[in-house]
Amino acid sequence: MAKFLLSLVRIFRPLLNGRGIDFNSMMVIVETKLLMDQRRVYMNWRQGKTKENTNHLRVALLFYGFMGIVMGSMIYFVDNFLTIMIFTHAYILFMMAMILITDFSSVLLDTTDNQVILPRPVSSKTLFLARLVHILLYLLQFTFAIAAGSWLFTFLKYGFITGLALIFTTMLTVLLAIFVTYFLYLAILHFSNEQRIREIITYFQIFMMVFFTLGLQVFPRLLNVIDITQAIDLKGYMFVFPPVWMALTVDAFRLFQFDMVHIVMMVLSILVPVAGFWILFQFLAPGFASRLSALQGTANVVKRKEDRDDKIERGSLSERISAVACSTAVEKGSFAFTWKITGRDRNFRMQFYPGLAYILVFFFIFVLRGNKSIAENWQQLPETNNYLWLIYLSMLSVSSSLTLVAFNESYGASWIYHSTPVQQPGEIILGTIKSLFIKFFIPIYLILFTIAVSIWGWHVADDFLLGFFNNLFCFLVLASLTDHYLPFSRQPDTKQQAGRFVVILVQFILVGGLVGLHYLLISRSLLFYVIIPVLILGIVLLLKKLRTLSWSKISI
Amino acid sequence: MSVITIDRLCKVYDGNYVLKYISLSFEAGQIIGYIGPNGAGKSTTIKILTGIIGDFEGNVHVLGMDVRKDSIAIKQKIGYIPENAALYDVLTPVEYLNFIGRLYGMELESIKKKSTELLHLFDLGTKMDQRMSGFSKGMRQKVLLISGLMHNPEIIFLDEPLSGLDANAVILVKEILSQLKKAGKTIFYSSHIMDVVEKLSDRIVIINKGEVIADGTFESLQQQASSGSLENIFTALTGNQEHESTAGAFISIIND
């Protein structure tokens, strides 16, 4: 597809050549960039094996294509044209902006361009145009994947002209998405620095993954609640939203009705993206690259320093906690180290936080399960014992951090464990485990506890107390069952060990068994105080076992 | 005729002058060693000379052309091998060189021929079609060297070209540089490795805090500083003679 689009660009050769633009160089750059796109690993597809020759782009496109067909089929089933069109355009706008911000940001913000291409005889206009054409081609591929389903069903149901109009407004929507994203970046760049942008993008990416996970699980259930077939009542403020303009533009062509409202909307839907794009091309973009390269490195040094001095004085949070939670120096070091890196490493956050979304997903599935509507389920909630799920859900998500913590981009730095006189690597592992438990499990557990108390009342407190020890016990059992890797010592994307499945199985049996036990005892809460000491004994033994792990037990 | 003339060059970053009224001119067919401590302004000078930074005060001409106006024409005739080896490492060396070569307007045929042969010379023949993400720093540096020299430039700007190369490759690159010089090319060379600069350069320019503090042949610098190696000259001139006391303090802190 990229090749086909590239040959389409050649048609514009007479238009683009000259005036400081070297068409051939531009095509060479675009071609190379498209090739690199296929090799980039897309953030949504990180997990699993990455073979060198996989065309990651194709996998991503197929996924979006599939979603597009599902979304498009709604055009067929929903009869209110305006509503479904607004929905479709909003979906396209949202998806494109998200793709631009998340997957494509690495390309937009890539300063390798400056180092590789700027020393070559390529004018900045050529480079800019190459970037632009590349972005357009890239987005065209995604536009097609996302919107082809909608186009297809519109052609089928509403005929040729409406279909064409939709294709046209889709393109305008994409232009708008580009403009909005670029503008967003420029604004952030203006007030802040590159580092900050990368941070912000990380959060967008996390949001995106949460959105997908949640969307796929929860969306079908919500459909019963919101009645999408109802006509949207177009109120004044709604005319601010571009999807409404686009929808009305398509509507005008469907009905062949060109009254005042339709024409104004049509003008807006064409004028705003085109004007935005013109402003972008004329004023904003040329400064973008230079601003970005100027920002590299220098800007953010000063502020950080004050920050650091302050921290050293009172000791960072992790260090203060480690003083209480850990006994030996090695353990304390490992505790603070894990705490800090898990907070700063982008890849860790990217893989860990979306997993937390499963708490929400399971909340919907388990807590609100039943045949009645969500609202009815919600009302009956206090009469059920479903808070048990809340107690043990946090476990499932947090346990993923145990495996994730072994991976890091700079895994090579782990030579430090081997060059220092560490007698019992178990202390390092224990420090890490404690760090993960305190940093991730306890806050989540407290939040869930608060939620549970507000729904069920204080009588769940002793359940949460038992749950706490149960969870800690499970967490430690898992920690001793998995292969023991030192924190941040493994190369990302290396294959998971074969034993992984067994661990998951044990995890489910263990958690299931403990939840079952808890469930059986739920009305005899006095017995909890018999079990808790047993659990504490188990916890102490497990802690001891982990601490005394020897080098022979450490996987490398 | 001088191939590079720098006339009262100044560069300001965030209100600080990183280059202060630098005036220099260089003849063709020389190897110029450009040295200075970290942050002295070496890379900035090179980036201005190669037309990458266009925002500066003063006048700079390369091959008789103004770097502000004719940066594209200049870039066509020079080669630049930067320090922090940034390249598109999802590509294979052959793909990368094809890309860069075509940006120089070279024909695909000639790029293919040259790049394969050069890669073989650099012992990368077996890695030609592997992606560079797994390459070591030295291997990347070799690819960068080829990408900066393939189009047969008149002037070659090198920023720490030997970093990461193994001993054999260092000898090879040094030999390549002296043969390029014999062919009449000008080499502008910035490095920290003093003994290489000492042996290779026809002329040595030392800058410190944005100013030229020494300029001449190795012998003339030796007289100026009345001391032996370039390393000693360098410390004498850059005014950093506290090494001994700093080292002493270092030891005493460790002993605490």
Side-chain angles (χ1 to χ4, degrees):
Chain A
M1 179 132 131
K3 283 219 172 80
F4 168 71
L5 290 171
L6 209 57
S7 56
L8 278 186
V9 179
R10 283 185 219 282
I11 300 171
F12 295 100
R13 189 192 176 105
L15 220 77
L16 294 175
N17 214 355
R19 283 177 302 163
I21 292 167
D22 181 349
F23 190 81
N24 286 336
S25 298
M26 188 206 81
M27 289 303 278
V28 169
I29 297 171
V30 175
E31 210 177 298
T32 311
K33 282 179 169 276
L34 288 173
L35 178 67
M36 291 194 291
D37 282 340
Q38 296 178 357
R39 297 187 182 170
R40 220 145 37 81
V41 178
Y42 288 81
M43 68 97 189
N44 290 328
W45 324 100
R46 274 247 44 153
Q47 6 337 50
K49 68 279 146 220
T50 32
K51 270 206 302 192
E52 228 193 25
N53 297 323
T54 341
N55 186 335
H56 299 288
L57 184 65
R58 193 172 298 150
V59 181
L61 288 176
L62 282 176
F63 174 76
Y64 288 124
F66 176 73
M67 281 188 63
I69 288 172
V70 174
M71 288 292 170
S73 66
M74 290 177 61
I75 295 179
Y76 205 79
F77 296 120
V78 176
D79 280 326
N80 189 289
F81 184 75
L82 213 52
T83 312
I84 195 66
M85 277 297 124
I86 292 172
F87 180 75
T88 304
H89 283 102
Y91 174 69
I92 295 169
L93 184 66
F94 174 77
M95 290 301 288
M96 287 320 276
M98 278 300 160
I99 288 169
L100 268 167
I101 292 172
T102 57
D103 281 336
F104 205 55
S105 59
S106 54
V107 177
L108 278 181
L109 296 176
D110 192 4
T111 42
T112 316
D113 262 9
N114 290 339
Q115 294 179 54
V116 174
I117 299 177
L118 234 47
R120 321 292 171 188
V122 176
S123 70
S124 52
K125 264 193 178 166
T126 309
L127 180 57
F128 176 66
L129 191 69
R131 276 186 169 157
L132 197 71
V133 171
H134 171 224
I135 294 172
L136 286 179
L137 294 191
Y138 180 92
L139 288 177
L140 268 178
Q141 298 178 59
F142 276 94
T143 310
F144 193 77
I146 289 169
S150 303
W151 296 345
L152 178 75
F153 286 104
T154 309
F155 274 119
L156 281 179
K157 191 170 179 183
Y158 295 101
F160 189 68
I161 298 194
T162 319
L164 274 188
L166 178 63
I167 292 182
F168 180 65
T169 51
T170 305
M171 297 301 165
L172 289 172
T173 308
V174 173
L175 278 188
L176 201 68
I178 299 178
F179 175 67
V180 168
T181 317
Y182 245 97
F183 200 77
L184 183 76
Y185 280 150
L186 272 169
I188 303 171
L189 270 179
H190 189 80
F191 295 111
S192 172
N193 55 46
E194 198 196 351
Q195 193 55 39
R196 188 100 212 104
I197 285 205
R198 290 189 197 279
E199 289 278 296
I200 292 169
I201 289 165
T202 309
Y203 289 114
F204 265 108
Q205 286 173 331
I206 292 169
F207 170 74
M208 182 87 163
M209 295 184 77
V210 171
F211 176 80
F212 277 130
T213 350
L214 265 182
L216 290 174
Q217 301 285 342
V218 178
F219 189 66
R221 286 156 192 276
L222 278 180
L223 271 188
N224 310 328
V225 187
I226 307 160
D227 192 0
I228 197 162
T229 50
Q230 262 175 19
I232 286 185
D233 198 12
L234 282 175
K235 297 189 188 72
Y237 70 90
M238 294 188 101
F239 290 100
V240 179
F241 300 113
V244 176
W245 315 337
M246 306 288 175
L248 278 164
T249 307
V250 184
D251 195 46
F253 283 98
R254 183 180 69 109
L255 302 170
F256 266 103
Q257 184 184 345
F258 297 95
D259 53 24
M260 195 57 195
V261 178
H262 280 101
I263 286 182
V264 170
M265 290 297 110
M266 216 185 300
V267 170
L268 272 178
S269 63
I270 296 172
L271 202 66
V272 172
V274 172
F277 216 67
W278 183 79
I279 294 171
L280 186 74
F281 194 82
Q282 212 65 21
F283 304 108
L284 303 180
F288 189 72
S290 61
R291 190 185 282 278
L292 203 60
S293 57
L295 274 171
Q296 265 193 316
T298 50
N300 51 356
V301 182
V302 188
K303 221 178 174 184
R304 268 284 159 95
K305 210 174 167 219
E306 292 165 21
D307 213 32
R308 208 180 299 138
D309 286 345
D310 198 35
K311 276 238 177 91
I312 286 169
E313 219 166 88
R314 47 189 184 86
S316 64
L317 181 64
S318 52
E319 270 143 23
R320 279 178 289 161
I321 297 178
S322 75
V324 182
C326 306
S327 45
T328 67
V330 175
E331 210 183 305
K332 282 176 194 159
S334 160
F335 183 95
F337 172 69
T338 308
W339 189 290
K340 283 174 182 160
I341 295 189
T342 50
R344 292 176 198 175
D345 182 43
R346 199 170 147 272
N347 286 323
F348 180 85
R349 286 183 295 169
M350 285 286 303
Q351 294 184 28
F352 176 69
Y353 287 117
L356 295 185
Y358 274 103
I359 295 182
L360 277 173
V361 173
F362 281 116
F363 184 81
F364 273 98
I365 295 175
F366 291 127
V367 180
L368 297 178
R369 83 207 146 119
N371 301 323
K372 295 158 201 140
S373 75
I374 288 183
E376 271 174 74
N377 269 334
W378 181 259
Q379 273 179 349
Q380 290 178 351
L381 213 48
E383 292 151 35
T384 65
N385 288 331
N386 278 342
Y387 57 85
L388 270 190
W389 291 109
L390 288 185
I391 295 180
Y392 295 99
L393 273 178
S394 40
M395 179 79 248
L396 287 174
S397 298
V398 177
S399 63
S400 72
S401 67
L402 262 182
T403 16
L404 288 175
V405 79
F407 297 97
N408 192 273
E409 292 276 312
S410 28
Y411 59 97
S414 62
W415 59 270
I416 201 78
Y417 301 126
H418 304 280
S419 72
T420 44
V422 178
Q423 274 210 322
Q424 284 183 354
E427 290 179 17
I428 299 177
I429 302 234
L430 190 59
T432 301
I433 291 170
K434 283 181 177 172
S435 192
L436 294 175
F437 188 78
I438 293 175
K439 186 173 181 186
F440 297 119
F441 178 80
I442 289 183
I444 293 172
Y445 199 66
L446 284 177
I447 292 170
L448 292 174
F449 176 61
T450 322
I451 295 173
V453 166
S454 64
I455 297 177
W456 284 276
W458 279 103
H459 75 87
V460 299
D462 50 5
D463 290 283
F464 269 79
L465 188 68
L466 175 68
F468 180 81
F469 289 106
N470 253 343
N471 272 314
L472 180 54
F473 180 71
C474 286
F475 190 66
L476 291 174
V477 169
L478 287 178
S480 25
L481 278 179
T482 43
D483 295 327
H484 301 294
Y485 288 99
L486 291 166
F488 314 114
S489 66
R490 296 186 73 193
Q491 187 173 6
D493 302 327
T494 40
K495 278 219 176 86
Q496 297 287 353
Q497 300 294 309
R500 181 93 182 112
F501 177 70
V502 178
V503 172
I504 293 174
L505 204 67
V506 170
Q507 177 176 348
F508 273 98
I509 293 172
L510 192 70
V511 175
L514 285 168
V515 176
L517 183 71
H518 196 155
Y519 184 76
L520 287 176
L521 299 177
I522 207 149
S523 48
R524 304 181 192 87
S525 54
L526 271 181
L527 275 178
F528 290 177
Y529 300 99
V530 180
I531 299 171
I532 288 173
V534 179
L535 284 170
I536 292 179
L537 182 69
I539 289 164
V540 170
L541 289 175
L542 280 167
L543 284 176
K544 190 160 179 270
K545 178 178 172 259
L546 283 166
R547 181 189 319 247
T548 50
L549 277 177
S550 64
W551 277 108
S552 58
K553 298 273 171 52
I554 302 291
S555 324
I556 294 171
Chain B
M1 161 203 150
S2 60
V3 287
I4 301 173
T5 45
I6 305 172
D7 183 27
R8 281 166 294 156
L9 168 65
C10 294
K11 172 73 191 168
V12 186
Y13 269 132
D14 297 330
N16 299 318
Y17 275 90
V18 289
L19 294 177
K20 299 170 199 155
Y21 297 99
I22 291 196
S23 294
L24 290 164
S25 81
F26 302 103
E27 305 301 310
Q30 281 191 326
I31 296 186
I32 300 133
Y34 196 63
I35 57 177
N38 286 335
K42 297 187 302 284
S43 290
T44 308
T45 319
I46 292 188
K47 281 185 178 155
I48 289 171
L49 290 177
T50 49
I52 295 171
I53 299 178
D55 172 29
F56 56 84
E57 298 158 33
N59 286 310
V60 177
H61 286 83
V62 173
L63 296 166
M65 292 176 280
D66 188 333
V67 290
R68 281 204 194 88
K69 289 186 203 123
D70 300 314
S71 67
I72 302 293
I74 292 172
K75 285 175 187 173
Q76 183 69 50
K77 289 190 171 176
I78 62 174
Y80 170 57
I81 294 126
E83 184 184 7
N84 295 324
L87 38 67
Y88 296 132
D89 60 7
V90 293
L91 299 177
T92 68
V94 171
E95 287 167 338
Y96 182 74
L97 292 173
N98 276 347
F99 170 57
I100 299 296
R102 278 185 292 167
L103 291 186
Y104 282 113
M106 293 168 69
E107 291 300 322
L108 212 49
E109 291 292 298
S110 114
I111 301 172
K112 280 225 169 92
K113 190 167 168 293
K114 280 188 179 178
S115 57
T116 358
E117 288 173 11
L118 290 171
L119 285 168
H120 275 291
L121 274 184
F122 269 150
D123 287 331
L124 287 175
T126 51
K127 309 250 182 204
M128 261 179 8
D129 294 311
Q130 288 176 19
R131 294 190 193 170
M132 293 188 283
S133 41
F135 277 24
S136 69
K137 204 176 168 225
M139 284 149 81
R140 285 163 188 249
Q141 193 63 23
K142 286 176 181 176
V143 177
L144 279 174
L145 272 168
I146 298 174
S147 80
L149 294 173
M150 206 174 33
H151 61 295
N152 194 20
E154 288 299 309
I155 310 177
I156 299 131
F157 292 91
L158 302 132
D159 205 345
E160 290 290 351
L162 303 178
S163 63
L165 294 182
D166 61 35
N168 280 324
V170 168
I171 296 168
L172 178 59
V173 171
K174 271 157 70 178
E175 192 52 39
I176 289 173
L177 292 182
S178 15
Q179 296 209 10
L180 280 168
K181 177 194 144 190
K182 275 185 201 139
K185 313 279 186 196
T186 312
I187 292 150
F188 196 95
Y189 181 115
S190 135
S191 180
H192 286 115
I193 311 172
M194 301 287 177
D195 54 339
V196 177
V197 179
E198 183 182 318
K199 284 189 190 106
L200 271 179
S201 312
D202 301 304
R203 180 172 164 192
I204 295 170
V205 177
I206 304 181
I207 67 165
N208 189 23
K209 293 173 186 150
E211 286 170 304
V212 176
I213 53 168
D215 179 7
T217 59
F218 176 56
E219 289 74 25
S220 73
L221 292 189
Q222 247 176 339
Q223 284 167 3
Q224 209 177 322
S226 65
S227 48
S229 69
L230 185 57
E231 211 162 71
N232 295 338
I233 301 172
F234 184 78
T235 21
L237 291 175
T238 52
N240 207 340
Q241 278 144 325
E242 292 146 15
H243 294 318
E244 206 173 308
S245 62
T246 312
F250 189 93
I251 303 297
S252 77
I253 293 171
I254 298 177
N255 283 336
D256 263 353

